[in-house]
Every structure is written in C-alpha cells, then in structure tokens.
Amino acid sequence: MKSYEMLVNGEWVPSRSQERREIRDPGNGEILASVAEGNSEDAERAIQAARSAFDQGTWRKTPAQERARFLFKIAQGIRLSARELATLEVKNCGKPLAEAEFDVADAAACFEFYAGLATKIHGETMSVPANSLSFVVREPIGVCAQIIPWNFPLLMAAWKLAPALAAGNTCILKPSELTPLTALELGKIFIESELPKGVLNIITGTGPKVGEILASSSQVDKVAFTGGTVTGRRIMSLATGNLKKITLELGGKNPNLVFADADFEAAVDGALFAAFANQGEVCSAGSRLLIEKSIHESFTEALLKKIPLIRLGHGLTPGVKMGPLVSKAHLEKVESYVKLGVSEGAELLCGGKRPEGKAFEHGFFLEPTVFDHVKPQMRIAKEEIFGPVLSIIPFESEEEAIQIANDTEYGLAAGVWSKNIARAHRVVQQIRAGITWINTYHPTYNELPWGGYKQSGMGRELGLYGIESYLETKQVNVNLDEAPLGWYS
C-alpha cells in the first residue's frame, strides 16, 4: 500500500494533525493508499507558501518562454507515465480503462495547449490623447485556489493548473478527498520538472476543513471550483470576504433531443453514450432524453436492445464499458433517486438495481437504468442524479422540445439529433446551455470554452477563455509632454 503526503512549498509534508485517510478501489474495496488528511492549519500553510512564491518569488517574473518550457515538461512527464496514471485513475475512481487512457492523454494535451498560449498573452496600445502613450498589459491574478471533483481527477487538475501557471499565478490544488491519487502523482511530475518552490501546492482533505479555508482566505486572490451547485453557492458566499475572482463549473440536467428525422442508429448510440459514459458521473451527461413521439416507441426499443452491450465490471477488466460508482454513499444516493422515480409514477424499463455475481459483491455497481414516460416536473427530470439513470421524455413539436429542454435551473450542455441541419441550428440557438452538440455528444476540446448558463456556473474554462480567467488587466498611461501641467498656475 502506497503512502502519500501533501505538497507544500516544494516538500512532501504530513498533516499537522497526523491524521490519514484510506483510499479504496470502488470496484473491489481494495485499499490503494494511505493519504495525509489535511485540515485548516495545512490549508493556511499552503496559502502562505503560495503567497510568498507569488509576492517574493520568481515565477510571475519568469519569461513566458520559460513558463512554457515548464508546462511542456509536465506534458511530457504525463505521457511518459501514461500507463501508470491511467491504471491508478481506474482504481481510484472506477472508470473503464479506455476512458482513463483518454483522460490522461487529454490532460497532457491541455498542458501543451497552455504552454503554447503562455507566449501569446498580449496587450494593446493607444496614442490618445495626443500627448500620452497609453497601453494595456495583462498580469497574473496572484494566488489561485483550485478545488476539483472526483469524476475526472487528473483531467480536472490539468484544466485548472495549466492556464493558471501559464499566466504566471501560484496555485493551491485541492483534489477530492475520495480521489486524490493521480493529482498527487502529478505533483511528483511537477517536482521532477524543478518548478520553483511554492508555485504549486497540493492539499488533501475535506471541503469543510480545507476547501472552505481556501475559499474564504483574504490571502487567496481567486478560487476556481468544479462540482455540485450547492457547494458552488457556498464557495461563492465565502469568496465575498475579499471579493476574490471566481470561476464555477457546476451541475447540469442536460437535455438530449432526438427528432424523427435523425440518423436512427447514430442517435441510439449517441443517447447511450451521453447517459452512461463514465457511469453517468459527468456534469454534462445527457440524462434527459427527449424523443419525438412518432419514433418514441421504436427508439426506446432499440435503446433497450443495446443496454446489454454496456458490460459492467472493474475498469481494468477487458471489455468493460461501465465501472462502479465512486463510493457507497454515492451509490445509495443514486438508488434513492431510482426509488423516487418509481414513486413519482415513471415507468422503470431496466436497471435500477445492483448487479449480482461475485465480481460485483465488493464494489459499488448499479445497472444502467432507464425510465420512460417521465414528466418534466418529476424530480428525476429536474435534479442532477450524477449516475447511470436516464429519463425519457416524449415531445410533440419542435417548440415543445425547446420548452422542455429549457425548463431547468441548469444550463450546462445539450445535444440535438436531426438530419435537417437548419432545424438543428435553429434549436441549438434557442437552448440556453453553454456547450451544445449536433449529431454527437460529449466531445470536449482544450481549444474551446467550457462552462454553463444559469445555475451551471459562471466563467469559462479551456480555450483562450481559460487563460483569460487567470489574468488581470492593467492600464498604463505615459505622459509625453515634459512641461508642467499648470493646473494650479
């Protein structure tokens, strides 16, 4: 069993309290590692390290070309350790190996993308008024606290760290207490790259003991959070103490609209992938499947015929397409929504129970679950379940589909399936969501912005928007007239 400490000021240190947490494989209950359990003292220690590294250190003054070289080193380190990182990701959070391998490659690509952008942070100049040279420069915000979730541990660390470091900030990363292992392994890669001390700090522990300290500290200049909307509101409230900058990527109850003229087979495959990729533990999951009534019955039948192809098991087992949920508590939460859906009157077509067999007895598995004839006002159609639960909602017209799609407090993602490209564009323009797909679902690109409308958060990550969110804008005015102003003459 491996033992991990926390990274503070370039050193691996235990928790001040000496407390530790056992990290287990959600697929079989095996103990993977022992990790230092941080508290408020540890959070404060990391804040001071990051603060000193920013205020007195060299990182923000390091030439952009040099910062870029550091990030390219990180990407190379990830690629060299790809097999080990992917295997560890599977064991820690449960996802199938193929998905973990994609996440690791994408994390490396994210560091490479922002390494390239580090040298392209530009300002602007103006020569107005006549006797002045005025220009705008972009500067790092300062100390950035970054709190990431358990469903994409390594990838979310990359999404946060790469743009922040490219811009010249110092960082405190808090991974989920459930899935800290690949983030801590990433810390080792940073140390090997000889990043200056204090530029990256990694603190493990719970939200109340660590996350809230980071969000409320007057020594932290920005907080970036990915996770649930309730926690996002709490972080937003805590951050008002010093009006720190905030980026929030929160929940979703995302509609996936299938019109009668869609490519039938492609839409069936897309609907399954939208709902059940990563066990449905995805903020952008297409958990509301809106089907035009004329194909509702045939589409649902085709969907159910393919459900058995979603093979359950440990993520390292060849051929597995869906792994366990992340924890017992989360499994029980998702099961409670299944019971709620039945009590609300939705028709349970398949799943809703734990699979039987020796391979599943020590893991947190739930069969792919499909409800039909779901009413838009039902809680299973309104609340984020964050598991392999799909709600089918029939619709009559394009106008009704749009109305149902937008009838949610969230606005993260949406999909539209139709061969009528004019209709697809027309519908997408009217759906209030930050990420939309036409005739596909789930592709994510480092080059394009990620974030949502309404209660799905504020700000954007990735793309040019991602680095903009870690920069301040400064106006500089130079007087070219050497004569006295004469205002008081």
Side-chain angles (χ1 to χ4, degrees):
M1 181 178 69
K2 283 191 173 183
S3 180
Y4 291 88
E5 308 300 341
M6 297 179 291
L7 180 59
V8 179
N9 204 32
E11 305 291 336
W12 293 106
V13 299
S15 168
R16 287 282 174 85
S17 68
Q18 301 297 316
E19 290 184 36
R20 304 193 68 79
R21 176 186 292 267
E22 288 183 346
I23 305 298
R24 293 179 179 268
D25 184 330
N28 56 25
E30 174 191 348
I31 299 175
L32 300 173
S34 170
V35 175
E37 181 78 349
N39 58 22
S40 59
E41 288 185 66
D42 299 302
E44 293 289 358
R45 181 167 46 161
I47 291 168
Q48 292 309 312
R51 187 78 262 166
S52 295
F54 185 79
D55 293 338
Q56 286 89 45
T58 61
W59 183 246
R60 65 171 171 163
K61 300 174 185 176
T62 299
Q65 293 88 343
E66 187 64 23
R67 294 202 303 270
R69 280 193 283 272
F70 272 110
L71 295 188
F72 278 123
K73 281 185 186 178
I74 301 303
Q76 182 182 32
I78 291 172
R79 294 195 187 280
L80 290 173
S81 303
R83 182 184 296 273
E84 294 81 3
L85 288 170
T87 300
L88 188 59
E89 197 81 318
V90 171
K91 289 182 176 181
N92 197 179
C93 69
K95 65 180 62 192
L97 180 60
E99 294 186 27
E101 289 173 337
F102 179 85
D103 290 353
V104 172
D106 205 28
C110 185
F111 278 103
E112 289 166 344
F113 175 73
Y114 283 107
L117 274 186
T119 58
K120 298 162 186 68
I121 300 171
H122 299 154
E124 56 186 308
T125 61
M126 294 184 66
S127 57
V128 178
N131 294 324
S132 173
L133 171 65
S134 299
F135 57 95
V136 173
V137 294
R138 313 304 306 280
E139 298 181 341
I141 289 175
V143 174
C144 301
Q146 301 170 310
I147 304 171
I148 60 175
W150 44 257
N151 56 338
F152 292 90
L154 181 65
L155 188 56
M156 291 297 100
W159 281 24
K160 297 285 189 291
L161 292 173
L165 295 173
N169 298 283
T170 59
C171 298
I172 307 153
L173 180 72
K174 194 203 91 65
S176 167
E177 64 271 23
L178 299 177
T179 57
L181 301 187
T182 50
L184 292 167
E185 290 291 340
L186 181 62
K188 295 179 182 179
I189 294 173
F190 270 95
I191 288 179
E192 290 169 2
S193 75
E194 299 181 335
L195 189 75
K197 290 184 177 183
V199 172
L200 170 62
N201 306 272
I202 303 176
I203 298 296
T204 49
T206 65
K209 290 185 178 180
V210 175
E212 293 199 359
I213 304 302
L214 299 176
S216 61
S217 174
S218 62
Q219 297 299 302
V220 172
D221 302 299
K222 169 166 180 160
V223 60
F225 170 76
T226 296
T229 298
V230 172
T231 305
R233 290 195 199 100
R234 175 65 176 162
I235 287 173
M236 188 175 181
S237 174
L238 292 169
T240 60
N242 65 330
L243 295 178
K244 57 174 60 68
K245 304 291 189 296
I246 306 173
T247 301
L248 301 175
E249 199 267 276
L250 307 178
K253 192 65 180 178
N254 311 290
N256 192 17
L257 287 63
V258 179
F259 288 91
D261 63 354
D263 182 315
F264 193 88
E265 289 300 320
V268 169
D269 282 352
L272 289 170
F273 187 66
F276 300 120
N278 205 60
Q279 302 76 248
E281 295 172 324
V282 187
C283 55
S284 57
S287 57
R288 288 189 294 149
L289 179 58
L290 281 57
I291 307 175
E292 192 165 359
K293 279 189 178 178
S294 62
I295 62 165
H296 170 229
E297 186 175 335
S298 60
F299 195 92
T300 302
E301 287 177 359
L303 204 72
L304 293 177
K305 284 181 181 178
K306 286 206 166 187
I307 289 285
L309 299 177
I310 305 175
R311 183 182 171 192
L312 268 68
H314 193 284
L316 295 179
T317 303
V320 161
K321 297 296 183 182
M322 200 172 94
L325 299 187
V326 72
S327 68
K328 179 182 179 183
H330 188 59
L331 170 61
E332 291 173 347
K333 174 192 171 186
V334 176
E335 287 178 319
S336 73
Y337 272 104
V338 175
K339 293 177 183 177
L340 179 62
V342 172
S343 69
E344 288 182 310
E347 181 183 357
L348 180 61
L349 298 182
C350 69
K353 62 183 186 297
R354 304 183 189 189
E356 298 178 352
K358 190 174 182 180
F360 307 109
E361 60 185 3
H362 297 298
F364 309 123
F365 295 92
L366 186 70
E367 294 178 349
T369 303
V370 179
F371 281 102
D372 197 7
H373 299 290
V374 175
K375 305 296 183 186
Q377 66 271 20
M378 291 179 178
R379 285 180 60 189
I380 60 168
K382 285 192 168 295
E383 298 178 16
E384 186 177 38
I385 300 173
F386 219 68
V389 180
L390 177 62
S391 295
I392 295 177
I393 305 173
F395 67 86
E396 290 273 11
S397 65
E398 181 179 312
E399 292 72 23
E400 184 187 14
I402 294 167
Q403 188 277 323
I404 294 172
N406 287 331
D407 185 19
T408 172
E409 66 185 25
Y410 299 108
L412 185 58
V416 176
W417 298 81
S418 174
K419 290 181 181 178
N420 183 336
I421 199 67
R423 164 190 273 171
H425 279 280
R426 187 168 61 241
V427 171
V428 160
Q429 286 179 2
Q430 296 178 77
I431 292 178
R432 291 182 52 74
I435 308 114
T436 57
W437 295 281
I438 294 175
N439 296 330
T440 187
Y441 205 100
H442 275 321
T444 304
Y445 305 101
N446 290 309
E447 297 81 4
L448 298 176
W450 183 273
Y453 291 18
K454 298 188 277 186
Q455 293 193 45
S456 287
M458 59 173 58
R460 293 293 184 270
E461 296 187 304
L462 298 183
L464 297 175
Y465 299 82
I467 202 164
E468 286 285 335
S469 71
Y470 285 99
L471 291 166
E472 292 278 24
T473 302
K474 176 183 284 184
Q475 176 189 156
V476 181
N477 299 286
V478 181
N479 179 23
L480 301 180
D481 188 348
E482 297 182 42
L485 182 63
W487 187 263
Y488 297 105
S489 61

